[in-house]
Amino acid sequence: MAAAARGVLLLSLLVLLLNATFCSGDTYRRQLSLELNPGLNSSVSPLPPGINLVHIRSLGDGDTLHFLLCNQGPPTLLIVHTNSTSSSVQVDWPAFLSGNNSGSLRVEPENSVLHSNALVLVRLWEYDDLNDTADPQTVPPSSFLPPYELSRFQWGPLNSSTLDPQGPGGPEARLCGGDGSPAFSQGELCLQLSTFGSGGRAAGWPGLLHSANSSQLGFWLQGVRPRADRARFLLELQGLGRPHGPGRVEVRRSIDDEYSPSIFTVSQWLATPPDQSSPVLGFVQWRPVAYRRPQPEFSDTTPCHHSAPAAVEAAASGLGPAFYGAEAEASGLNISFGQPGEPAYNTTQYLSWTVLAGVGAPPADSFSPLVICIMAVGLGTPLLLLLLGGVFVCVRKHRLPRGRATGQSTRTTAWPRGRATGQSTSTTAWPSGRATGQSTRTTVSEASEGTLNALVGV
Amino acid sequence: MTQFHTLRWRVYSLPPQRTRTTCPRTKYNNMTDIEERQSLLGNVNGESEAEEPGKQMSAISDPTRLLHRIVVLIFMCFLGFGSYFCYDNPAALQTDVVQDMNLNTSQFMQLYAWYSWPNVILCFLGGFLLDRVFGIRLGTIIFSLFVCVGQVIFAAGALLNRFWLMEVGRFVFGIGGESLSVAQNTYAVNWFKGKELNLVFGLQLSMARLGSTVNMNIMGWVYSRVADLIGSKGPSTLGTALMIASVTCFFSLVCALVLGYLDRRAERILKKEQGKTGEVIKLTDVKDFPLSLWLIFIICVGYYVAIFPFIGLGQVFFIEKFNFSPAEARAINSVVYIISAPASPILGFLVDKTGRNVIWVMCAVVTTLAAHMMLAFTFWNPWIAMSLLGVSYSLLACALWPMVAFVVPDHQLGTAYGFMQSIQNLGLALISMAAGAILDNRGYLFLEVFFCACICISLIAVVVLYLVDFLQAGEMNLSAAARARLYEETRLQEEARLQKEAPSDSE
């Protein structure tokens, strides 16, 4: 037993070691820097209130990623991947802020751009889910309320409280705003961009696994007054890209729900060349789950569903046309929140959803080191014991051949369940009068060996 | 009440006699004795068969005949039906309970934990209460009452939307539930010892599982019917559905009453004692427990905590992971019980015939581990895993529990079984709470891995048990034939010794 205990101890040490190695995980690191409104000379082109362009530069060994978030027009996250370590973002601010901003934002040198894609949050739909279907396809059009056009929102300023150059993974920026209507008098819609210098996993649900090549965009509605008795929401998204925009949505089943309990799928909207075998260029990935409270518990989980992506006309303003002009491939899809039987938005007046966007192949979840270690120890220990025990038993059986030739044979010791021990005669059924332990055995083997031997042939 | 006490006094005042093992099943040839006893006991109900004991009674009313025993068996089986039906009410209505009462999973699992808490202690006291305080008949009725009242409080808690009251209900229900099965077993031993006892245990388990199965598959329907009638879902819907479920408990109470009557009648006719659990709980015995027994405890706890809490949480698991509808999820969640119902007697027979209990236990534990791993790490059709779980669960029950009798002497059996159940309940209470918390924070994969870890602990204990038994040349893992030979040898040996001693005694 002591040996077994020592073995377990050793194994658990191994576990800790493994854990440490695993946790460092994706070791690829990037240098991140944050810049607000790159190249803006506010005396030449003053910014309209609330408009901001956040630029996070992510410098790798031989490449650079540019993450751009802008709330001019519909809020847009643009990711540009260049194969140069010195690429930079150039903005023609007067043009950028004008009505037609096509081509006013460039990443130079232009031939260094490998791939780019953008995620646009176009509008937020609200509908009255009277029949509790949570399926916008089956809801009569009359139940739909006028959508919130995110391009018309007024956004709060980006300042020290909403901009964090030293976030847990990398620089972060938060944009909150509303359309000024009574519904938003007490509430707001927020977007939070998080970038990462290395691989890892965001704290809190849904705990998406990220690499240094991705950024995470959180979306939440807080305190926005519902305009219906059973309000549910629908978020309209667009994906842009060059040379290829996000096209198909792949739903991968995953047995691992450790970081987003009870969610067993991952949806990823992939930008792939027409040739399916070539590597994925960019992705938008999410767990089909939203939460009804800021600090969610298991019961605050609500699933979300996406519609099939369809080719659409790109939104006319904002970062999209500024970078792509009219060339981008655009496709759109809707994310609908909620599920039949679950409470509507009205109960908590809160809804959050998180999405990961990046270049290259989307990160794939694997078992956490803890899970692997538990299983390894759990399965390894009995196997080891069985193996050692098996060997031991074999050796022992081999060394003690059958028969009574050796005197104190195994069979003799196997018998003394008996009452040959001078106990009071008991007529009860068997195992009753069993005396304890060693004394019995010796008694039997000494006292009644003759009898036993006589009986063996029975 | 006094009736029972008089009877009990009479019973105790009779000279001790073995019921069935020592008294062969013969007709009473001593009429006077019987008459005497009748007058002693007082012919309370004046049944006809008692009036004419010398005559051949019809098979159905003759307590010595198989047919009568079958009738008794039926009541015996339905005695536990209500408590088993209601035990898994929360699992059958998991989503509804959680939504209507606005709970998280940890709170939901408290319903199971509260059931287990009283039994940590009652496992020791149950036998004592049955033997010394109430007697088996009254005790059974009292425990049935506890079950009924507990379920009604549970339902009332839902009706009034008071979760704490539901917990109180589960606590009261728990006080009755386990002790009732002790009573059920005692009845079984009393009526079937030396006859079809293993089969009867198997059948009782089957009936218990049937109760759980019916519950799993019918409660969802009951709930939705009630929701239709009331017009909305909510605590009152839940409460009404649970009230309806409590009917089964009242049904079991009726069985307890009938059984009490039949048992007393048999006592009068057969001159047998009132059944006893025979449990003499001496906590000081614990220090004498051999290593093998502790290993059996570990197997028991490690195994059962990976079964019952899993079933308690299963419904949502199948909905979320395998996209089952709630009705399908309930069905698959009950498949363990469905399989267990027919499999228990069959496997019990198999284990009886082959012996080698440790190997059977090992098979059961390994199969369960495989099933849990399938559920955790694959998307394979969960019917496969759940069926495996059902078979292995039944196999374990048949092979594990009898092993206790091989490692402790008879006079410690009560303590050993009490301790085993007590630890099991402690484990269930703690692991239920842990499982809820794990699910709330880490999700199903981690929960399954946790259950796998529990089973692994069980497996380690089985392997060690095998080795210990091998080293000590114990009889746990003997084949049935070897075991029979062993008993035969011991018996002959005993006789030889007696013969040898006899002359010396006379000297």
Side-chain angles (χ1 to χ4, degrees):
Chain A
M1 281 314 269
R6 212 172 306 136
V8 170
L9 196 75
L10 249 165
L11 271 169
S12 34
L13 275 176
L14 196 75
V15 167
L16 285 177
L17 210 74
L18 268 170
N19 216 339
T21 344
F22 268 98
C23 279
S24 53
D26 189 355
T27 47
Y28 187 66
R29 290 185 173 276
R30 288 175 174 276
Q31 301 284 324
L32 294 168
S33 56
L34 181 138
E35 188 182 12
L36 194 58
N37 304 322
L40 174 72
N41 184 343
S42 50
S43 60
V44 179
S45 45
L47 276 178
I51 294 292
N52 278 299
L53 174 66
V54 180
H55 172 221
I56 296 166
R57 192 162 184 273
S58 173
L59 182 65
D61 289 341
D63 63 346
T64 311
L65 278 168
H66 299 276
F67 297 98
L68 293 141
L69 179 68
C70 182
N71 56 359
Q72 198 224 7
T76 305
L77 169 66
L78 172 69
I79 305 169
V80 184
H81 189 203
T82 67
N83 61 4
S84 145
T85 52
S86 58
S87 58
S88 62
V89 172
Q90 304 292 330
V91 187
D92 178 356
W93 281 97
F96 187 74
L97 297 171
S98 73
N100 180 5
N101 62 3
S102 180
S104 56
L105 185 146
R106 281 166 297 129
V107 172
E108 290 188 332
E110 244 166 270
N111 59 5
S112 71
V113 174
L114 296 169
H115 174 76
S116 67
N117 55 6
L119 181 67
V120 189
L121 284 77
V122 185
R123 47 183 81 83
L124 181 71
W125 295 87
E126 185 178 2
Y127 64 96
D128 192 4
D129 192 16
L130 275 175
N131 297 330
D132 195 18
T133 57
D135 181 6
Q137 306 286 333
T138 61
V139 169
S142 59
S143 293
F144 276 91
L145 297 153
Y148 295 113
E149 294 285 347
L150 298 191
S151 56
R152 296 200 200 118
F153 271 34
Q154 293 105 48
W155 302 93
L158 277 177
N159 52 32
S160 56
S161 70
T162 53
L163 214 55
D164 181 3
Q166 310 292 331
E172 296 186 341
R174 187 166 77 238
L175 282 171
C176 289
D179 74 344
S181 69
F184 277 88
S185 60
Q186 302 285 324
E188 53 188 5
L189 180 154
C190 292
L191 299 172
Q192 167 139 352
L193 174 69
S194 313
T195 51
F196 311 102
S198 62
R201 201 181 282 279
W205 294 346
L208 296 173
L209 179 72
H210 58 73
S211 65
N213 293 339
S214 53
S215 60
Q216 183 174 296
L217 192 65
F219 158 92
W220 68 91
L221 281 177
Q222 187 162 30
V224 177
R225 207 177 303 146
R227 294 176 293 176
D229 292 335
R230 287 192 57 81
R232 291 197 196 275
F233 285 95
L234 192 67
L235 185 62
E236 186 180 332
L237 302 175
Q238 277 187 7
L240 311 174
R242 191 169 59 192
H244 302 285
R248 66 199 162 92
V249 176
E250 193 182 84
V251 177
R252 267 196 320 120
R253 291 219 284 180
S254 148
I255 54 175
D256 193 351
D257 70 333
E258 186 175 345
Y259 299 99
S260 44
S262 87
I263 303 302
F264 289 94
T265 51
V266 183
S267 303
Q268 34 203 33
W269 195 9
L270 302 174
T272 47
D275 174 16
Q276 296 277 328
S277 59
S278 27
V280 175
L281 298 169
F283 67 89
V284 175
Q285 186 196 52
W286 66 91
R287 286 267 188 179
V289 59
Y291 298 99
R292 286 194 296 257
R293 278 183 217 279
Q295 258 79 46
E297 287 192 348
F298 188 63
S299 46
D300 302 320
T301 305
T302 185
C304 61
H305 304 274
H306 62 85
S307 64
V312 290
E313 200 169 308
S317 59
L319 202 50
F323 180 72
Y324 290 112
E327 293 169 46
E329 270 185 31
S331 70
L333 60 71
N334 300 327
I335 303 283
S336 62
F337 302 102
Q339 154 161 294
E342 286 197 347
Y345 169 78
N346 306 45
T347 51
T348 56
Q349 304 211 350
Y350 182 89
L351 185 71
S352 79
W353 180 65
T354 308
V355 67
L356 198 71
V359 295
D365 259 327
S366 57
F367 297 129
S368 71
L370 191 60
V371 165
I372 294 172
C373 293
I374 292 176
M375 289 313 292
V377 174
L379 292 179
T381 319
L383 268 181
L384 199 74
L385 271 174
L386 207 60
L387 212 70
L388 291 177
V391 170
F392 175 75
V393 167
C394 281
V395 168
R396 180 124 178 155
K397 273 191 175 162
H398 201 70
R399 278 205 353 226
L400 291 174
R402 263 178 232 175
R404 276 147 279 121
T406 46
Q408 184 104 345
S409 79
T410 39
R411 288 197 68 189
T412 341
T413 45
W415 285 339
R417 303 290 140 200
R419 331 235 141 75
T421 51
Q423 275 197 334
S424 66
T425 52
S426 124
T427 45
T428 43
W430 43 274
S432 63
R434 196 177 308 154
T436 41
Q438 204 56 47
S439 64
T440 322
R441 261 166 228 167
T442 46
T443 328
V444 170
S445 48
E446 284 163 19
S448 50
E449 192 151 19
T451 331
L452 287 176
N453 286 350
L455 292 169
V456 162
V458 177
Chain B
M1 207 64 167
T2 40
Q3 191 76 61
F4 273 98
H5 282 300
T6 346
L7 265 170
R8 280 171 44 75
W9 180 82
R10 292 292 181 202
V11 169
Y12 283 121
S13 64
L14 288 170
Q17 54 172 306
R18 318 223 164 265
T19 48
R20 297 196 182 251
T21 35
T22 47
C23 289
R25 274 182 282 163
T26 48
K27 291 271 147 217
Y28 328 105
N29 26 27
N30 190 342
M31 268 195 47
T32 45
D33 184 30
I34 288 191
E35 273 156 17
E36 242 175 53
R37 282 177 48 74
Q38 267 171 17
S39 59
L40 263 174
L41 292 164
N43 196 347
V44 193
N45 295 310
E47 302 92 342
S48 51
E49 68 274 3
E51 284 157 13
E52 34 193 346
K55 283 189 186 170
Q56 197 79 12
M57 279 183 276
S58 70
I60 197 154
S61 55
D62 181 351
T64 58
R65 300 283 284 272
L66 179 65
L67 195 58
H68 183 78
R69 285 206 305 278
I70 289 175
V71 172
V72 171
L73 178 60
I74 291 169
F75 286 108
M76 225 178 260
C77 287
F78 279 103
L79 181 61
F81 186 84
S83 74
Y84 278 99
F85 185 93
C86 293
Y87 171 75
D88 266 330
N89 273 173
L93 297 174
Q94 187 186 354
T95 45
D96 307 306
V97 173
V98 166
Q99 246 171 46
D100 292 348
M101 304 302 296
N102 199 11
L103 309 175
N104 61 30
T105 320
S106 310
Q107 289 168 313
F108 170 77
M109 287 308 279
Q110 287 283 352
L111 293 177
Y112 281 97
W114 277 111
Y115 173 90
S116 292
W117 285 125
N119 292 308
V120 176
I121 293 166
L122 269 176
C123 290
F124 293 115
L125 279 182
F128 173 77
L129 291 176
L130 281 174
D131 286 352
R132 298 292 175 82
V133 184
F134 304 129
I136 172 77
R137 294 171 212 137
L138 182 62
T140 309
I141 292 164
I142 288 175
F143 290 136
S144 297
L145 267 173
F146 264 106
V147 167
C148 290
V149 171
Q151 177 70 12
V152 169
I153 295 176
F154 180 55
L159 271 176
L160 301 172
N161 197 6
R162 297 280 184 282
F163 183 65
W164 64 264
L165 195 59
M166 291 180 82
E167 291 180 322
V168 170
R170 288 293 282 186
F171 184 82
V172 175
F173 183 77
I175 292 175
E178 295 290 284
S179 309
L180 190 60
S181 60
V182 174
Q184 198 183 12
N185 288 345
T186 312
Y187 266 130
V189 172
N190 190 231
W191 279 82
F192 293 95
K193 193 174 179 186
K195 300 205 181 82
E196 306 87 358
L197 188 57
N198 276 352
L199 184 72
V200 167
F201 276 144
L203 275 177
Q204 280 187 347
L205 193 65
S206 303
M207 277 309 293
R209 298 304 161 237
L210 192 71
S212 307
T213 311
V214 174
N215 158 62
M216 288 279 190
N217 289 290
I218 212 172
M219 280 313 287
W221 178 79
V222 169
Y223 180 88
S224 63
R225 295 300 305 164
V226 173
D228 286 349
L229 278 173
I230 294 184
S232 70
K233 291 181 175 187
S236 51
T237 320
L238 183 67
T240 315
L242 292 175
M243 274 303 177
I244 293 173
S246 68
V247 170
T248 57
C249 295
F250 284 102
F251 173 63
S252 288
L253 178 62
V254 170
C255 287
L257 292 168
V258 173
L259 210 53
Y261 163 74
L262 287 177
D263 193 61
R264 203 174 55 186
R265 180 172 161 275
E267 171 184 279
R268 196 167 50 234
I269 298 170
L270 293 186
K271 299 188 287 179
K272 63 168 190 164
E273 291 176 46
Q274 172 161 252
K276 297 244 191 71
T277 62
E279 276 181 20
V280 184
I281 306 274
K282 262 177 68 191
L283 284 180
T284 46
D285 284 349
V286 172
K287 66 176 169 27
D288 299 326
F289 283 170
L291 175 62
S292 320
L293 188 61
W294 290 105
L295 290 170
I296 292 177
F297 290 166
I298 295 174
I299 299 169
C300 173
V301 175
Y303 189 87
Y304 282 106
V305 297
I307 299 286
F308 293 119
F310 171 70
I311 289 174
L313 290 170
Q315 192 197 354
V316 175
F317 174 67
F318 294 112
I319 294 174
E320 302 282 357
K321 184 165 178 180
F322 298 97
N323 296 324
F324 278 33
S325 74
E328 279 177 313
R330 277 188 207 104
I332 190 170
N333 208 16
S334 67
V335 82
V336 171
Y337 295 146
I338 295 179
I339 289 181
S340 179
S344 295
I346 298 172
L347 291 170
F349 179 77
L350 187 69
V351 173
D352 276 353
K353 285 294 156 205
T354 55
R356 302 208 179 279
N357 290 44
V358 183
I359 298 292
W360 285 118
V361 169
M362 201 181 289
C363 288
V365 173
V366 169
T367 316
T368 307
L369 181 61
H372 263 302
M373 284 178 70
M374 265 185 226
L375 289 171
F377 298 114
T378 70
F379 278 106
W380 295 352
N381 194 330
W383 286 97
I384 304 170
M386 290 304 277
S387 306
L388 278 178
L389 210 60
V391 174
S392 52
Y393 166 75
S394 324
L395 181 58
L396 184 108
C398 295
L400 180 73
W401 291 86
M403 283 206 302
V404 175
F406 296 127
V407 292
V408 291
D410 258 7
H411 67 91
Q412 286 183 350
L413 266 184
T415 318
Y417 275 121
F419 208 75
M420 187 154 160
Q421 279 188 313
S422 169
I423 298 186
Q424 188 195 348
N425 275 295
L426 185 67
L428 282 176
L430 292 174
I431 299 294
S432 291
M433 288 159 64
I438 288 175
L439 179 55
D440 275 341
N441 295 302
R442 285 295 187 101
Y444 282 106
L445 177 78
F446 205 86
L447 181 68
E448 276 296 326
V449 166
F450 173 71
F451 286 144
C452 286
C454 292
I455 302 268
C456 284
I457 290 173
S458 212
L459 184 57
I460 293 170
V462 185
V463 174
V464 175
L465 180 67
Y466 175 81
L467 295 175
V468 167
D469 186 62
F470 177 80
L471 280 180
Q472 298 180 344
E475 62 188 77
M476 267 183 285
N477 206 23
L478 290 183
S479 69
R483 226 174 254 159
R485 212 159 45 230
L486 177 67
Y487 298 141
E488 182 62 17
E489 279 159 6
T490 337
R491 197 180 60 76
L492 288 174
Q493 198 184 313
E494 182 86 352
E495 273 173 16
R497 196 178 60 82
L498 286 175
Q499 274 173 8
K500 236 163 81 180
E501 274 177 10
S504 62
D505 280 350
S506 59
E507 269 167 26

